[in-house]
């Protein structure tokens, strides 16, 4: 069987066992601050195991992309040196969420391995946790007791990390020894007897204090190393000899002109295995939205890439080469993981750029290392100074583990304590590179469902379900929780007559937490009145909708290779990171700005639809991001089907004219191949221009030009809004009241300024037939405003100025104007509807 056939047969087997086949989660975890990378198949189901989330299915199976290069699960040093460790690997898995348990899990594992894949039964061993008699008894149905082994916590009690779901496990091992003598080598970490499948029976949660608490429901979580099972089925002693890796290794052989002998102690073969492994890790991480950098997971990727560069140098490469393996990887894995294909240009250019950057210092750094290490050896020392390791890190970009690798090859160790002390002195870099997210506010693990109702409501009353210190959970909430780059809402929550400021929002599982500015009384069961800061939310909505318009404008002007690499949608500005490999020049900035503003002025309706994710994926025009985590049902945001369609859970304006204005304020580089644009919208543009006015107050021509731009833009916006209201006017005109042979039309519209009302009045008058009188009304800044228009043939008999004055009296105001057009205002907004309904009587009684 080929590796693709093996993968598919696994999924088909569990589909027949009524499992939902789910898509692999991205290797960049979302919503889990305890992980740098997805390192196990169960990561995307952690909330289910903790009892704070659920799915619409109780059985699942998939092939999960995993990266293990940091923390407890760190296989980096073994990669390429042995035959079965990798930084990136696929984990085939099946899960039960409170459904089946040990009996079925073991029985199906046995059936797949021995009946479907035909593995020889005599080569299989099982391990169980030392006190798990239940699993031991089940295994006796399939194996003799001599091949069922009990082990302690180190080998047979599975934990994802320092905290979280855990439980006893049962592993299946394959004996490769010629004489079947591998019983004593089970769990010895040797390639002769290798673990191929781990069946975890999750029944506990490890708390931060180390205690185990039973979970509400017991679950099954199994994980099988895809590369390992391929080696077993294909009869290979090394994972690297399977069709998963050999196409990559063959390409390295072709590029280097050096043969691959597959030996474990061969320097060249180790280098080829390392590079073949690392291209996979880098490609999948970048495809899912991560980028090499100087902090967090970005620094981990940079370490891996530079480690790969060093092994490429061992093969004689002095120019970038790792990126040249990407087409081979896409050929072998692109059908299963289409993100490799769609992100190919980005992956290639980022890896190539990073290679080029590091190769400029690699040679000099190695020269420095050779000098420093030789001095140590000549002096009789076998310890490289921590100062030298720090010099290589700080000046030549050598990650510590790369220097450690070079030192080990010469029989040297490193004074790591001194290195760490020197690193500590660079606090900003150290904190950025080693920043841990584990110190964020720890939310209590509760099984309470909250529903977000803030798409349609900014004020809402709901029952309080949970209170802890300054945290409040309600049954429903209008407050948006930070997601997809959009920041959380703020506002107020009133509880038992006391008003608290909501300063942040957090979500864990199905629970949405309001974080208040002070501790809240225990008032569970009472009603909370919640009010979102509407002005702030509107500014956020403007910026979010503008971000979608900007994304498409970037793709139109710069090319379809542009993909979102990160974003921030705040009330005062928006930030958009995207893949592009040179500075966006001034002319391009102008083009992009103009395109966005044109779309704003077009007054495009922002349509929001809910679709099933699988249906959305069928539309090639819909932009979706592999770094994002989507549910089965998604929101599709459309701003003209021919222009912008994206999956998005954020909040948006209802019409693009609500954005008002758009202005790019900066363009910069974030990382190799990644650019950043910052922009403002609405009043933020006027504030920005005001700042420029202040800055260049002495430059009269510039100021006048800016004012002209403001007036021009304001006029364009007004004209666009007037144009968008024309259809509503046409609807009013079709239903006049006829008094004394005169068409009388009245109605209320949503208009934001007096200038817009006057311009609309002119348009309205032009649209009227002869012998017509019209009255339009709106509310501007808590005051009723009206405009009356009369056609030329009757304006002298029914002067607009007189009619509007009579109308204004009914709303507690006054006004006047010319015979053909006049305006008025009044304070009594509640009487506006009555005026519009009875305006025809004012006309009837005028003469």
């Amino acid at each position: 069987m080929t590796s693709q056939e093996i993968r598919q047969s696994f999924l088909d087997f569990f589909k027949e066992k009524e499992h939902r086949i789910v898509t692999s989660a991205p290797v960049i975890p979302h919503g889990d601050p305890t992980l740098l990378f997805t390192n196990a198949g169960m990561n995307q189901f952690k909330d289910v195991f903790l009892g704070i989330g659920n799915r619409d299915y109780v059985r699942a199976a998939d092939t999960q992309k995993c990266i293990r290069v940091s923390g407890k699960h760190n296989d980096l040093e073994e990669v390429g040196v042995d035959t079965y460790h990798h930084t990136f690997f696929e984990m085939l898995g099946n899960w039960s969420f409170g459904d089946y348990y040990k009996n079925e899990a073991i029985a199906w594992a046995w059936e797949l391995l021995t009946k479907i894949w035909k593995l020889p039964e005599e080569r299989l061993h099982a391990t169980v946790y030392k006190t798990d008699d239940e699993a031991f008894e089940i295994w006796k149905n399939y194996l003799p007791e001599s091949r069922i082994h009990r082990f302690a916590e180190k080998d047979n009690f599975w934990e994802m990390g320092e905290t979280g779901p855990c439980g006893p496990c049962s592993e299946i091992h394959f004996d490769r020894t010629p004489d079947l003598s591998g019983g004593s080598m089970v769990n010895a970490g040797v390639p002769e007897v290798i673990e191929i499948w781990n069946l975890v029976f999750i029944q506990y949660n490890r708390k931060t204090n180390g205690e185990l608490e039973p979970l509400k429901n017991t679950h099954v979580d199994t994980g099988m190393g895809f590369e390992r099972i391929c080696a077993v089925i294909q009869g290979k002693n090394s994972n690297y000899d399977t069709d998963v890796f050999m196409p990559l290794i063959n390409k390295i052989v072709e590029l280097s002109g050096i043969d691959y002998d597959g030996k474990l102690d061969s320097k060249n073969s180790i280098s080829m295995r390392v590079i073949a492994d690392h291209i996979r890790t880098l490609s999948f991480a970048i495809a899912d939205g991560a980028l090499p950098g100087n902090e967090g997971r970005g620094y981990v990727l940079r370490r891996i890439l530079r480690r790969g560069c060093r092994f490429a140098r061992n093969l004689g490469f002095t120019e970038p080469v790792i990126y040249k393996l990407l087409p081979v990887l896409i050929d072998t894995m692109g059908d299963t993981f289409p993100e490799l294909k769609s992100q190919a240009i980005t992956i290639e250019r980022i890896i190539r750029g990073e290679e080029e950057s590091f190769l400029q210092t690699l040679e000099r750094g190695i020269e420095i290392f050779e000098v420093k290490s030789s001095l140590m050896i000549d002096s009789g020392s076998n310890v490289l100074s921590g100062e030298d390791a720090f010099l290589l890190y700080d000046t030549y970009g050598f990650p510590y583990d790369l220097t450690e690798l070079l030192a080990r090859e010469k029989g040297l160790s490193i004074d790591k304590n001194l290195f760490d002390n020197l690193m500590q002195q660079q606090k900003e870099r150290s904190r950025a590179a080693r920043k841990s997210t584990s110190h964020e506010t720890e939310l209590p693990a509760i099984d309470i469902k909250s529903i977000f109702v803030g798409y349609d409501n900014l004020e809402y009353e709901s029952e309080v379900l949970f209170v802890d210190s300054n945290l409040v959970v309600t049954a429903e909430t209008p407050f948006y929780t930070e997601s997809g780059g959009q920041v959380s809402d703020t506002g107020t929550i009133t509880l038992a007559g006391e008003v608290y400021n909501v300063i942040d929002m957090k979500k864990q599982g199905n629970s949405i937490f309001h974080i208040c500015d002070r501790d809240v009384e225990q008032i569970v069961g009472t009603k909370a009145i919640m009010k979102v800061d509407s002005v702030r939310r509107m500014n956020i909505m403007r910026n979010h909708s503008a971000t979608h318009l900007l994304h498409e404008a970037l793709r139109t002007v710069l090319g379809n290779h542009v993909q979102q690499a990160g974003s921030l949608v705040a009330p005062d500005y928006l930030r958009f990171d995207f893949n592009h490999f040179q500075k966006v020049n001034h002319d391009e900035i102008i083009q992009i700005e103009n395109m966005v503003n044109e779309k704003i002025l077009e007054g495009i309706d922002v349509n929001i639809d809910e679709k099933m994710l699988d249906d959305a994926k069928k539309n090639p025009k819909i932009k979706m991001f592999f770094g994002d985590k989507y549910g089965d049902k998604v929101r599709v945001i459309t701003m003209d089907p021919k222009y912008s369609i994206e999956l998005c859970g954020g909040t948006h304006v209802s019409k693009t004219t609500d954005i008002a204005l758009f202005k790019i304020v900066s363009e910069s580089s974030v990382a190799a191949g990644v650019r950043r644009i910052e922009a403002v919208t609405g009043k933020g543009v006027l504030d920005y221009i005001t700042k420029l006015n202040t800055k260049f107050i002495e430059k009269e021509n510039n100021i006048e030009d800016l004012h002209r731009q403001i007036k021009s833009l304001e006029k364009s916006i007004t004209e666009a809004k007037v144009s968008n209201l024309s259809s509503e006017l046409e609807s009013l005109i079709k239903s006049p009241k006829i008094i004394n042979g005169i068409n009388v039309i009245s109605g209320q519209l949503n208009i934001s300024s007096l200038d817009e009302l006057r311009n609309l009045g002119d348009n309205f008058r032009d649209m009227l037939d002869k012998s017509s009188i019209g009255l339009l009304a709106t509310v501007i800044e808590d005051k009723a405003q009206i405009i009356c228009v009369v056609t030329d043939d009757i304006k002298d008999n029914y002067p607009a100025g007189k009619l509007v004055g009579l109308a204004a009296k009914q709303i507690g105001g006054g006004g006047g104007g010319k015979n053909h057009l006049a305006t008025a205002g009044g304070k009594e907004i509640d009487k506006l509807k009555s005026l519009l309904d009875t305006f025809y009587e004012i006309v009837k009684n005028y003469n």
Side-chain angles (χ1 to χ4, degrees), residues 282-343:
L282 294 166
S283 297
F284 276 96
I286 294 169
D288 279 353
L291 295 168
N294 289 325
E295 60 183 48
R297 65 174 62 96
Y299 186 62
V300 173
L301 294 179
R302 182 161 283 169
R303 285 167 50 207
I304 291 172
L305 194 144
R306 293 184 174 184
R307 192 170 184 269
C309 287
R310 190 269 173 177
F311 280 100
R313 183 181 180 275
N314 286 352
L315 297 173
F317 293 110
T318 58
E319 299 291 333
V321 68
I322 298 175
Y323 79 95
K324 294 180 180 179
L325 303 178
L326 180 60
V328 178
L329 182 63
I330 292 174
D331 285 344
T332 58
M333 301 188 74
D335 289 339
T336 304
F337 302 104
E339 59 268 32
L340 290 176
K341 292 181 178 179
S342 63
Q343 299 294 314

Side-chain angles (χ1 to χ4, degrees), residues 176-249:
R176 286 170 161 158
T177 60
D179 56 357
L180 300 177
S181 60
S184 62
M185 291 184 275
V186 171
N187 269 340
V190 294
E192 289 81 6
V193 179
I194 192 167
E195 174 201 336
I196 55 174
W197 205 343
N198 190 4
L199 315 179
V200 180
F201 309 120
I202 298 177
Q203 58 194 68
Y204 301 113
N205 176 46
R206 176 79 70 182
K207 298 168 69 174
T208 53
N209 63 5
E211 293 181 5
L212 292 175
E213 61 178 1
L215 292 173
K216 184 177 179 181
N217 296 306
T218 58
H219 312 287
V220 172
D221 161 32
T222 86
M224 182 192 316
F226 173 65
E227 294 78 6
R228 292 189 182 186
I229 195 62
C230 285
V232 169
I233 293 175
Q234 294 178 3
K236 306 295 185 182
N237 289 324
S238 167
N239 295 358
Y240 293 96
D241 293 342
T242 67
D243 65 343
V244 177
F245 287 96
M246 282 310 299
L248 292 167
I249 292 174

